[in-house]
Amino acid sequence: MESMLNKLKSTVTKVTADVTSAVMGNPVTREFEVGRHIASGGPGLCWRIYDGTKKSTKQEVAVFVFDKKMIDKYQKFEKDQIIDSLKRGVQQLTRLRHPRLLTVQHPLEESRDCLAFCTEPVFASLSNVLGQWDNLPSPVPTDIKEYKLFDVETKYGLLQISEGLSFLHSGVKMVHGNLCLENVILNKSGSWKIMGFDFSISAANPSDSEPKYTCKEWDPNLPPLCLPNPEYLAPEYILSVSCDSASDMYSLGVVMHAVFNEGKPVFQVNKHDIFKSFSRQLDQLSTMSSALLNKIPEEVQQHVKMLLSVTPTVRPDADQMTKIPFFDDVGAVTLQYFDSLFQRDNLQKSQFYKGLPKVLPKLPKRVVVHRILPALTSEFVNPDMVPFVLPNVLLIAEECTRDEYIRLILPDLTPVFKQQEPIQILLIFLQKMDLLLTKTPAEDIKSSVLPMVYRALEAPSVQIQELCLNIIPTFANLIDYPSMKNALIPRIKSACLQTSSLAVRVNSLVCLGKILEYLDKWFVIDEILPFLQQIPSREPAVLMGMLGIYKCTFTHKKLGIPKEHLASKSLPHLISLSIDGNLNLNQFNSFMVVIRDMLSRMEAEHKTKLEQLHVMQEQQRSINISNPGNPSEEPKSQPSTGNQVRNLQALQLSLHSGVPRFAFVALAQLLPDVPSFASPQMSLTLEEKQRLAKEQEQAAKLRNQQPLAPQAAKQSAASNAQAKDLTSSLLNNMTSLNSLSLANAPRPAPVQGSTMAAFPSPGTMMGPMGAQISNGFNTPMSFQTGGMGMGMRPPGPAHYGAGMATTTSTPNFSAFNQHQGPNKTPDMSALDSLFKPSQPKVTLNQMGPKAPPGTNNTWLQQLGGTPNAQTQMQGAPVPLGGVPGGFGMQANPFFSPQNFSQPAAAASLNQSGVKHSSSVSGDLKDLFG
């Protein structure tokens, strides 16, 4: 790596040193920056060509440098001759101005070490391109080494040289005198330019119709740089010391031969014996064989043979050569027209630009990019020509790589993006939007392309708005969300509401439907769906577009409409739209399908929620029945002992008396939570006994007023009597207990669902196998006093949380006084199975009385649900917005709306004054199938 860096450093240092030594002290360096060595040209390729820029304007130029060290081997007078010859050639070129001659930007400057002048930007000389690399940098630049001339370049290049000679011969009355490959320069755009006027000869009588030229005799003793290239000279130069414009035409024939023969001239000349070589050459030209011209195209072989004729009068002149059929190639003519555009008016230019798209595919890419593109972009300064030029520029951009587009085209397009007049510019850009968004960098899209799209949505032309709405979905994925939310969507909504064109309104809805998937759920619900209710028109196409947006939002897996919005806004709006008189049967059916889907989804989701609430309430009620006490009211030291003791007491009493256990549990809740019922030795005051007697009388009245349940009517008389004895015994022993509860214990809050329906009688109860059962007076057992507010909701927080319904259930305990039958013993198997450890919790539905068969209660059915409700809800509830599968082309009704067609009968209806555009039928056909 270090060696590579050192090598690169040495190369850069060497190049810098060469440039510095070449132009050191030359006045050219005051105004121009000299860059790298790129080519060579001029007589004997003695001029080194560097790229450069003008310091003041940053204009690109080419700097020609002649290093005087190249002629150190000559004597001083020979050096002076060479310098004078080179100076003369540059000075002559500077005075001449023509598109086919190399343009001088800065005249020749001489310093002690070099000669230098500046021209238009140059690529290389024709000699370099054809393989002569003398005086080139080492290694040879890749672009020169791999350069290959295309046929159209060759044809048009030779045509340019012919036009340049025509200017010299007819306009200036001058003979070039040294036309060869070294003196033909290819500029940066690929045009062929003539230079090297070191040996040019002006006419002695320029005003005469037949000018006369005087040439110098060939002097073999002069240095080669002081003599023209003999291989391209006409024979009369050497043999008869005469020349005229026909001599340059002979040189053109040799140039044409060399171009088609890899840079090789017709004959090789022995410079040491020039006269003998030309004599031999003259004989060969007189009997020219066809093999000599076999590589030249057939359509021009005869013309080249005439140019190489020994007789000057046979040779075609320059003006005649420009008109030969060989140059009538469509590519050559196109390039020629571009070079003369400055002479054309706008009408001629517009006609030419209209036909150019047919020609561009036939031309090589390099020719198009380097020759035609600069000419096209230069027309952007003329607004009237932009609509004619822009399609061609975008056509070229399609063939360019992204880097070429950014480097060569985008800088010229950026100002055009901001032009609003003429309106066709927007239309052309919209048609090529995919190209712009694909190759334009993101920052330029945001700063230049998208603002142009926003302007198109607000354009006064309906055609522009329609086209813009149609193409927005194709690149919606490239628009960032803030821009879409704050800039694009508001303009689409505005275009839909404010337009008087039905096509624009329908296309606005279609556009919104296609870009819904790029929006946020709540933005759609808050901004898009309410916007639909603001649309005033009721044409079938508009109604179907609104239905499509509802359907897309409802079915999309990322969006979805909540059931609250469905019930309150979406369904009422859709139902009102569905009965519009303009809809046909298929369109009405489409509405009803969506409405039924929404209703089904809303029903399923809300029913699932209610069933889950019902299950939670039932579970809470079951917990309250099995453990009526409030856990918060238990003593802190023993949070669960009281419940366990009371449950054990209730179980013992129920087994002994045949009364269900929950009756004793309810009774236990009415007693104060004390360590024991009471002590038999505790004495009561007279007031306490009177108050106790009143409470007993009230309890007896309440017990006698309650109806008898069907189950209790079947109890035996013996068990009923035993239950009464137990109840009276318990009531007699409550005297001391109540005194203690009134005096010492705070009265707890009323317990929901408790009822003082029956009281067990005191006394000792015997369980199975003769074991004694506690009757409530034992020390470990304690009861909790209940309030008289039976059936009231406790003042504390509800069991089910905020927003849930709270129900109050008052069990009927009077059924315990019923008899099963006169001679039947109590059936305790139900209690045994009920209180097994593995028995699940008992719900209120299981404990309550069952309706006899055949009873049909509508209210009970509504509250309890249908028998198949649980079967229907076994599957997982479907979220409101959740639909399996993606959005895609198949699921989006805007991409496949088979039923969204507008009826022919309703097409003429226009209730809102919306104008029917001529393109509505086509748009609806594309939109709704």
Side-chain angles (χ1 to χ4, degrees):
M1 184 67 181
E2 185 177 357
S3 61
M4 292 178 62
L5 291 176
N6 292 333
K7 183 177 180 181
L8 178 61
K9 182 179 178 180
S10 62
T11 303
V12 173
T13 304
K14 183 178 182 299
V15 172
T16 306
D18 291 343
V19 174
T20 303
S21 62
V23 296
M24 178 69 68
N26 195 289
V28 169
T29 59
R30 300 173 187 170
E31 300 182 24
F32 297 90
E33 293 283 352
V34 181
R36 64 186 182 91
H37 184 190
I38 57 174
S40 61
L45 297 176
C46 64
W47 292 96
R48 289 184 179 181
I49 305 175
Y50 297 85
D51 60 5
T53 55
K54 193 170 184 177
K55 294 181 179 179
S56 58
T57 62
K58 302 300 179 183
Q59 179 184 3
E60 190 176 2
V61 297
V63 180
F64 283 71
V65 177
F66 175 75
D67 190 354
K68 292 182 178 180
K69 293 180 179 179
M70 294 178 60
I71 55 175
D72 285 345
K73 60 181 179 179
Y74 294 105
Q75 299 294 326
K76 184 179 183 304
F77 75 95
E78 292 177 330
K79 291 181 182 179
D80 293 340
Q81 287 178 321
I82 295 173
I83 297 298
D84 291 341
S85 177
L86 294 175
K87 284 182 179 181
R88 181 177 180 277
V90 176
Q91 291 169 354
Q92 191 70 268
L93 178 64
T94 305
R95 287 193 293 266
L96 298 173
R97 293 287 180 176
H98 191 268
R100 302 299 176 243
L101 306 182
L102 187 63
T103 303
V104 177
Q105 302 284 4
H106 188 84
L108 181 70
E109 299 282 359
E110 182 178 7
S111 64
R112 184 185 62 180
D113 297 323
C114 68
L115 301 175
F117 66 100
C118 297
T119 68
E120 60 183 298
V122 166
F123 172 69
S125 65
L126 184 59
S127 183
N128 293 155
V129 169
L130 292 175
Q132 298 179 23
W133 299 336
D134 297 343
N135 211 12
L136 282 179
S138 180
V140 178
T142 305
D143 51 354
I144 292 179
K145 192 174 183 179
E146 298 178 356
Y147 193 91
K148 300 296 180 183
L149 287 171
F150 294 107
D151 289 342
V152 64
E153 291 179 299
T154 301
K155 289 182 179 180
Y156 185 56
L158 294 174
L159 176 61
Q160 288 176 306
I161 296 176
S162 300
E163 292 175 347
L165 291 177
S166 176
F167 164 73
L168 292 176
H169 298 165
S170 302
V172 187
K173 307 296 183 180
M174 178 185 292
V175 173
H176 185 278
N178 191 23
L179 184 65
C180 57
L181 298 182
E182 294 91 340
N183 288 327
V184 176
I185 301 295
L186 278 65
N187 69 0
K188 201 70 174 285
S189 63
S191 296
W192 291 17
K193 302 293 186 82
I194 299 175
M195 68 165 294
F197 288 86
D198 307 44
F199 309 103
S200 61
I201 304 171
S202 298
N205 53 343
S207 59
D208 295 346
S209 58
E210 294 185 3
K212 295 182 179 180
Y213 302 93
T214 304
C215 63
K216 297 179 180 180
E217 185 177 357
W218 181 269
D219 186 359
N221 296 321
L222 291 176
L225 290 179
C226 294
L227 295 171
N229 190 337
E231 294 176 343
Y232 292 84
L233 282 180
E236 60 266 20
Y237 264 105
I238 307 298
L239 299 180
S240 61
V241 193
S242 63
C243 65
D244 56 10
S245 59
S247 302
D248 281 347
M249 301 310 297
Y250 178 91
S251 300
L252 176 62
V254 180
V255 168
M256 294 179 70
H257 181 277
V259 167
F260 292 107
N261 284 272
E262 300 177 353
K264 298 177 181 179
V266 180
F267 302 107
Q268 298 291 333
V269 177
N270 184 0
K271 298 178 182 180
H272 299 286
D273 193 358
I274 190 82
F275 297 101
K276 185 177 181 180
S277 295
F278 266 83
S279 299
R280 190 183 313 110
Q281 177 180 331
L282 190 63
D283 296 337
Q284 293 176 352
L285 290 174
S286 301
T287 58
M288 184 178 297
S289 63
S290 58
L292 193 64
L293 306 175
N294 59 353
K295 291 186 179 181
I296 299 175
E298 293 182 2
E299 59 266 32
V300 77
Q301 279 186 6
Q302 188 63 31
H303 297 89
V304 173
K305 187 175 182 179
M306 294 170 63
L307 290 174
L308 297 177
S309 174
V310 177
T311 306
T313 55
V314 177
R315 303 167 191 162
D317 60 30
D319 187 59
Q320 292 173 342
M321 284 298 298
T322 59
K323 299 175 182 178
I324 64 175
F326 178 70
F327 297 130
D328 288 340
D329 180 77
V330 61
V333 172
T334 302
L335 296 177
Q336 184 181 25
Y337 196 93
F338 270 107
D339 288 338
S340 61
L341 274 178
F342 63 93
Q343 302 173 1
R344 317 286 179 174
D345 57 21
N346 285 347
L347 181 60
Q348 293 174 324
K349 290 180 181 179
S350 62
Q351 295 297 326
F352 171 71
Y353 290 137
K354 286 180 181 179
L356 186 60
K358 300 178 181 179
V359 179
L360 290 178
K362 302 178 182 179
L363 299 177
K365 178 181 176 181
R366 186 181 69 216
V367 175
V368 171
V369 171
H370 294 287
R371 294 292 306 276
I372 296 178
L373 182 61
L376 292 175
T377 54
S378 64
E379 290 284 355
F380 284 157
V381 297
N382 186 358
D384 295 334
M385 286 291 101
V386 174
F388 302 99
V389 173
L390 189 57
N392 296 290
V393 174
L394 296 179
L395 183 62
I396 296 173
E398 291 180 350
E399 302 299 326
C400 292
T401 64
R402 191 170 188 268
D403 293 337
E404 291 173 339
Y405 169 82
I406 295 173
R407 178 169 47 89
L408 301 174
I409 300 178
L410 184 59
D412 295 311
L413 280 183
T414 302
V416 185
F417 285 141
K418 302 176 183 179
Q419 294 185 14
Q420 301 184 22
E421 294 294 337
I423 196 65
Q424 291 85 350
I425 297 176
L426 277 176
L427 186 64
I428 296 170
F429 275 133
L430 291 176
Q431 292 171 340
K432 294 291 186 180
M433 187 58 62
D434 54 342
L435 166 70
L436 299 178
L437 295 174
T438 302
K439 295 188 175 181
T440 305
E443 58 273 12
D444 292 299
I445 290 177
K446 189 173 183 179
S447 62
S448 300
V449 179
L450 291 183
M452 179 193 65
V453 175
Y454 303 152
R455 289 195 302 272
L457 286 173
E458 300 170 346
S461 171
V462 172
Q463 184 183 8
I464 297 293
Q465 288 181 325
E466 286 184 53
L467 181 60
C468 185
L469 291 169
N470 286 332
I471 67 167
I472 284 175
T474 62
F475 62 86
N477 60 321
L478 301 177
I479 304 177
D480 59 285
Y481 185 73
S483 298
M484 181 175 291
K485 177 180 176 181
N486 301 322
L488 182 62
I489 298 298
R491 284 176 169 85
I492 296 177
K493 293 165 60 177
S494 177
C496 182
L497 294 177
Q498 298 177 4
T499 185
S500 60
S501 169
L502 176 62
V504 172
R505 184 161 292 165
V506 173
N507 282 318
S508 299
L509 295 174
V510 174
C511 180
L512 285 176
K514 290 181 178 180
I515 65 177
L516 282 178
E517 59 181 323
Y518 305 108
L519 301 177
D520 179 72
K521 173 180 178 179
W522 298 112
F523 178 78
V524 174
I525 293 174
D526 295 339
E527 299 293 335
I528 303 299
L529 298 186
F531 153 73
L532 299 179
Q533 302 183 14
Q534 303 173 13
I535 300 176
S537 60
R538 288 294 179 267
E539 288 79 5
V542 176
L543 296 180
M544 298 308 294
M546 296 163 67
L547 175 65
I549 292 180
Y550 273 114
K551 183 177 180 181
C552 290
T553 308
F554 176 68
T555 58
H556 194 278
K557 61 181 181 180
K558 188 183 77 172
L559 301 177
I561 306 178
K563 68 177 188 298
E564 293 80 10
H565 194 283
L566 282 176
S568 61
K569 297 180 180 179
S570 299
L571 281 172
H573 188 220
L574 279 176
I575 293 173
S576 65
L577 296 179
S578 66
I579 61 174
D580 191 276
N582 294 330
L583 296 177
N584 60 21
L585 179 59
N586 290 334
Q587 293 167 345
F588 172 75
N589 289 335
S590 299
F591 267 91
M592 296 313 298
V593 168
V594 176
I595 291 172
R596 281 193 291 267
D597 289 343
M598 289 182 174
L599 286 172
S600 300
R601 185 80 57 78
M602 184 180 66
E603 177 188 5
E605 183 171 328
H606 197 63
K607 188 173 183 180
T608 301
K609 177 181 177 181
L610 294 178
E611 288 184 349
Q612 293 174 352
L613 271 175
H614 181 71
V615 171
M616 293 173 60
Q617 292 172 356
E618 292 295 329
Q619 292 177 351
Q620 187 65 34
R621 290 175 186 174
S622 175
I623 293 174
N624 290 340
I625 292 298
S626 62
N627 185 15
N630 192 345
S632 63
E633 297 175 0
E634 295 290 337
K636 294 182 178 179
S637 60
Q638 295 179 349
S640 61
T641 303
N643 289 336
Q644 294 175 355
V645 171
R646 282 192 290 272
N647 288 336
L648 181 58
Q649 289 176 337
L651 178 59
Q652 292 173 344
L653 291 174
S654 65
L655 293 176
H656 184 269
S657 63
V659 180
R661 181 175 72 97
F662 61 84
F664 293 99
V665 173
L667 180 60
Q669 300 302 318
L670 299 176
L671 301 179
D673 191 8
V674 295
S676 62
F677 278 106
S679 175
Q681 291 77 15
M682 294 178 63
S683 60
L684 300 176
T685 63
L686 180 60
E687 291 80 10
E688 292 174 348
K689 292 181 180 180
Q690 290 175 352
R691 185 165 55 252
L692 180 60
K694 290 181 181 181
E695 292 177 357
Q696 291 175 354
E697 290 176 1
Q698 292 176 358
K701 290 179 181 180
L702 180 62
R703 182 173 66 253
N704 294 332
Q705 291 175 359
Q706 293 184 352
L708 301 180
Q711 293 87 344
K714 297 180 181 181
Q715 292 181 349
S716 63
S719 59
N720 184 27
Q722 185 179 8
K724 287 182 179 181
D725 294 339
L726 178 61
T727 304
S728 61
S729 174
L730 289 174
L731 288 174
N732 290 335
N733 285 281
M734 287 177 61
T735 304
S736 60
L737 180 63
N738 286 336
S739 175
L740 178 61
S741 65
L742 293 172
N744 301 325
R747 198 172 190 84
V751 180
Q752 177 184 354
S754 62
T755 304
M756 209 178 339
F759 298 89
S761 59
T764 305
M765 294 176 289
M766 302 299 294
M769 305 302 294
Q772 184 177 358
I773 300 176
S774 173
N775 60 358
F777 290 94
N778 297 329
T779 302
M781 307 182 74
S782 64
F783 280 48
Q784 188 176 25
T785 305
M788 299 305 296
M790 294 179 293
M792 297 176 61
R793 193 173 71 178
H799 289 291
Y800 304 117
M804 291 188 174
T806 306
T807 59
T808 304
S809 177
T810 306
N812 187 359
F813 295 118
S814 63
F816 298 154
N817 296 327
Q818 299 295 331
H819 298 279
Q820 295 179 351
N823 298 322
K824 294 182 179 180
T825 59
D827 185 6
M828 310 301 291
S829 61
L831 291 177
D832 294 337
S833 62
L834 182 63
F835 295 104
K836 288 181 180 179
S838 62
Q839 184 70 17
K841 294 181 179 180
V842 183
T843 64
L844 285 177
N845 292 336
Q846 293 173 331
M847 295 179 62
K850 297 183 179 180
T855 303
N856 186 10
N857 192 327
T858 305
W859 295 102
L860 290 177
Q861 291 177 358
Q862 290 180 353
L863 293 174
T866 60
N868 296 330
Q870 185 65 25
T871 305
Q872 295 173 358
M873 299 309 299
Q874 285 178 356
V878 181
L880 186 57
V883 172
F887 190 52
M889 298 288 290
Q890 301 299 328
N892 192 334
F894 289 99
F895 290 98
S896 58
Q898 292 84 354
N899 297 326
F900 291 5
S901 59
Q902 183 175 3
S908 61
L909 298 179
N910 188 358
Q911 300 175 356
S912 58
V914 178
K915 297 180 182 179
H916 291 262
S917 173
S918 60
S919 61
V920 172
S921 300
D923 294 335
L924 294 180
K925 183 176 180 181
D926 297 337
L927 174 60
F928 301 116

